[in-house]
Amino acid sequence: MTARHSTEPLPQQVLEIGARLKAPPSDLLVNSVFAQELAQQLHLFDALGITDIAQTLVALELGSIPETEGRALLAALLELQKKPDDFVPCPERGDIYTNREAWLSERSAAAGWLGAGRARREAITTAFVIVMRKALLDNQFALSKLGGVMIERAMTNRLSIMPDYTYLQAAQPTTFGHYLLSFAYPLLRDLERLDLLFSQLNLSPVGCGSTNGSLIPQGRQQAAQLLGFAGVIEHARDAMWQADVCINCVSILNTGSVTLSRLAEDLQIFSTQEFGLIELDDRHARASKIMPQKKNPFALTHVRAFANKMIGFSATVTASSRTPSGQPDNRLLIYGELPEAVLQATEVSELMAELLEHLTFKADRGLHLIESGWALATDLAETLVLECGLDFRAAHQLVGFLASEFQGHGLRTLSPDIIISACEQRFGRRIELSRAQLEKALDPLHAIESRQEAGGTSMRSMENMLNDCSAQFTGYREQVRQSLAYLEDKEKELLMLAEALAAT
């Protein structure tokens, strides 16, 4: 369904929706403001129908709507839920709610009972929450799946040696597996934050009556149960005008997008000829139109660009929420743009998972960078502490002096005699260092396995982290599957109940 512009006069019942308005809105207001508002709400159509059906069922149960009219209204709502061809939303009729109400009014006198005791904003807010609830679950699933791919690649690259980098300078030896695993933990923290956010969104605003309830019974608990919510938002005014939940959501998207952008930045650098550590699969690259030798890592560019977008969007959502507490303009863009941002975040996570699954790590290049450079300098300094009795500051200064003197040459240029002589020259002290001790200090595999404590690169440490992370990501995926299945079942039950009542 798409919004359309029209100069046709409004049906009388549409004018009656706003009883105080004596004239139709101006063309400029319709074609700019109303059109934009409607465009941001079109994706709420299905959820708004589910909300209307649930409230009508509750109204029938409570007797706040006559039985005959209630069944007729259910029948009309069910027909509208099928998206009939003659439902063409247009900005002349206002937002998505009033477009739906106009369609119902043209087909059933029972439409007058729609939304008794509730504001239009309440219905749209509920639909928005229902859409966001599903979108967040999809996002959680994508993140947990991405985490699973990270664990698999980290597992197979536990011994794929490479330099770790700080300031883009080779720092210490690590493995590609240990490096990748460092991004799994921020994902787990994002999943934890999304869990809390979902628990906040999984409370129903239905029946809040815009600010403080309604004289007409709303059956808040019954409606919440029909719609699959865990409960209701306790305070009616808070239920209508929550702003912090949207800020919290975009903050989580922002955090997650920055995490993936940092990974994408690294991988883009690692894929350059100068580093040569990884190569993206062709399916995630784009060829240069002028330079035939280039293979541009375009998928990574998109991940980085999405983070830029989220940083700006975070400011937009926060600024638009900084209004008087009962101001609707903080929602006009968020209704459409926040669910769309969650969807894009889900797609970025799926793309990154696919990219990691198919990229190639160049193990020979990683080992060469270690053996030809000075990434083992700290290991040498610590060996001088442990084996030769130097204090760490002296050992650090000695190795730093050697790095300066042998700039352009790798650590393997050094011999025990060179190190012993340099120590005498710098500190006037003779040390004893054997060839075996030096070889051990400059052995990359020994460096990897020696880091035995929690969080290190040793096989035992890696196994503990990999098993723990794998269990957590698997747990989140199963939890999301159950939640999605539950919500799907609740919607089916709701429609079946409505169809049964409408039929009789």
Side-chain angles (χ1 to χ4, degrees):
M1 294 175 294
T2 57
R4 66 174 177 84
H5 295 223
S6 172
T7 57
E8 297 176 4
L10 297 180
Q12 182 61 33
Q13 57 264 48
V14 177
L15 292 175
E16 289 173 354
I17 290 172
R20 290 193 61 190
L21 303 181
K22 303 303 181 184
S26 74
D27 289 343
L28 183 59
L29 181 65
V30 167
N31 294 329
S32 57
V33 182
F34 285 9
Q36 185 178 14
E37 180 186 32
L38 179 59
Q40 295 289 349
Q41 296 175 356
L42 288 175
H43 71 107
L44 302 178
F45 178 87
D46 288 337
L48 191 53
I50 293 298
T51 301
D52 287 340
I53 290 169
Q55 280 215 302
T56 303
L57 286 170
V58 172
L60 276 167
E61 179 186 344
L62 297 176
S64 54
I65 179 174
E67 185 171 341
T68 300
E69 285 79 357
R71 294 178 189 275
L73 179 56
L74 277 179
L77 286 169
L78 288 168
E79 183 62 29
L80 180 55
Q81 198 69 5
K82 299 174 184 176
K83 299 179 183 176
D85 292 339
D86 60 353
F87 178 73
V88 182
C90 55
E92 292 87 349
R93 288 179 164 177
D95 62 11
I96 188 64
Y97 183 91
T98 52
N99 267 270
R100 288 171 53 88
E101 188 174 21
W103 187 92
L104 291 166
S105 298
E106 291 168 359
R107 286 153 182 81
S108 175
W113 289 96
L114 180 69
R118 63 169 171 160
R120 165 178 53 187
R121 188 73 53 191
E122 176 200 311
I124 295 176
T125 296
T126 305
F128 170 71
V129 170
I130 289 172
V131 167
M132 284 294 297
R133 186 174 61 174
K134 169 67 164 56
L136 285 177
L137 288 174
D138 289 339
N139 185 245
Q140 264 197 312
F141 188 82
L143 278 179
S144 60
K145 186 176 179 181
L146 169 59
V149 173
M150 278 186 182
I151 298 304
E152 291 173 5
R153 293 311 307 265
M155 182 83 71
T156 58
N157 286 279
R158 285 175 295 176
L159 290 176
S160 299
I161 294 173
M162 61 175 275
D164 206 342
Y165 293 90
T166 62
Y167 296 87
L168 288 181
Q169 305 294 315
Q172 288 182 298
T174 187
T175 66
F176 188 56
H178 189 267
Y179 163 80
L180 272 183
L181 192 57
S182 70
F183 290 92
Y185 287 92
L187 288 188
L188 287 172
R189 292 193 291 273
D190 276 335
L191 286 166
E192 184 178 357
R193 285 185 278 263
L194 284 168
D195 239 7
L196 176 59
L197 177 60
F198 180 80
S199 69
Q200 295 168 344
L201 268 174
N202 199 27
L203 297 176
S204 170
V206 174
C208 65
S210 185
T211 59
N212 62 355
S214 170
L215 295 178
I216 300 173
Q218 296 296 303
R220 297 195 67 201
Q221 294 289 352
Q222 296 97 310
Q225 186 175 12
L226 283 173
L227 292 169
F229 287 104
V232 300
I233 301 172
E234 189 68 26
H235 194 285
R237 192 173 192 275
D238 177 49
M240 175 57 72
W241 299 110
Q242 288 182 339
D244 57 307
V245 175
C246 291
I247 296 173
N248 187 18
C249 178
V250 75
S251 175
I252 295 171
L253 295 181
N254 193 16
T255 302
S257 69
V258 167
T259 295
L260 295 187
S261 178
R262 293 171 67 226
L263 174 58
E265 292 264 11
D266 286 355
L267 294 178
Q268 185 165 340
I269 292 167
F270 293 165
S271 72
T272 61
Q273 179 180 343
E274 290 73 14
F275 282 75
L277 284 167
I278 69 160
E279 182 177 358
L280 266 62
D281 190 88
D282 288 352
R283 75 189 73 185
H284 301 125
R286 175 182 281 181
S288 169
K289 296 299 290 183
I290 187 171
M291 292 165 280
Q293 84 282 8
K294 288 185 67 184
K295 178 179 177 179
N296 295 325
F298 191 74
L300 297 174
T301 301
H302 175 69
V303 175
R304 294 167 57 231
F306 178 70
N308 298 337
K309 178 179 179 178
M310 283 301 96
I311 292 169
F313 187 50
S314 178
T316 298
V317 172
T318 304
S320 67
S321 300
R322 191 191 58 78
T323 65
S325 60
Q327 189 76 0
D329 61 0
N330 55 26
R331 300 274 183 81
L332 296 181
L333 295 178
I334 293 175
Y335 280 135
E337 292 189 1
L338 188 52
E340 178 63 22
V342 178
L343 173 61
Q344 290 179 9
T346 300
E347 292 173 344
V348 165
S349 297
E350 292 170 342
L351 176 62
M352 183 60 84
E354 184 182 86
L355 185 149
L356 288 177
E357 187 176 1
H358 294 283
L359 69 76
T360 300
F361 178 76
K362 299 180 179 180
D364 291 345
R365 175 63 174 170
L367 184 59
H368 172 73
L369 288 172
I370 292 289
E371 294 185 332
S372 63
W374 285 76
L376 283 157
T378 301
D379 290 71
L380 176 57
E382 292 177 350
T383 296
L384 295 176
V385 171
L386 295 171
E387 302 293 346
C388 303
L390 288 180
D391 67 77
F392 182 73
R393 182 52 51 202
H396 184 279
Q397 290 176 359
L398 177 57
V399 176
F401 167 75
L402 291 167
S404 178
E405 288 294 302
F406 290 86
Q407 189 173 11
H409 302 278
L411 260 172
R412 291 198 173 275
T413 307
L414 303 181
S415 67
D417 290 341
I418 292 174
I419 296 171
I420 291 169
S421 175
C423 188
E424 286 184 311
Q425 177 185 343
R426 294 285 293 175
F427 304 114
R429 173 180 174 182
R430 182 172 177 82
I431 59 174
E432 297 296 329
L433 180 67
S434 69
R435 170 63 64 179
Q437 288 171 329
L438 180 58
E439 287 295 327
K440 188 176 180 180
L442 302 185
D443 180 1
L445 281 175
H446 178 264
I448 296 301
E449 188 56 32
S450 294
R451 287 158 167 81
Q452 292 280 338
E453 295 198 59
T457 53
S458 71
M459 291 301 98
R460 183 177 65 180
S461 175
M462 283 290 290
E463 184 177 0
N464 290 338
M465 290 188 290
L466 288 166
N467 289 339
D468 179 58
C469 289
S470 179
Q472 291 191 65
F473 285 125
T474 301
Y476 276 115
R477 285 197 298 275
E478 184 56 33
Q479 174 184 305
V480 170
R481 284 193 187 98
Q482 292 177 5
S483 296
L484 288 170
Y486 173 77
L487 293 178
E488 184 178 349
D489 288 344
K490 292 298 292 186
E491 182 172 329
K492 288 179 180 177
E493 290 174 10
L494 173 67
L495 292 174
M496 287 176 61
L497 178 59
E499 287 167 357
L501 283 174
T504 57

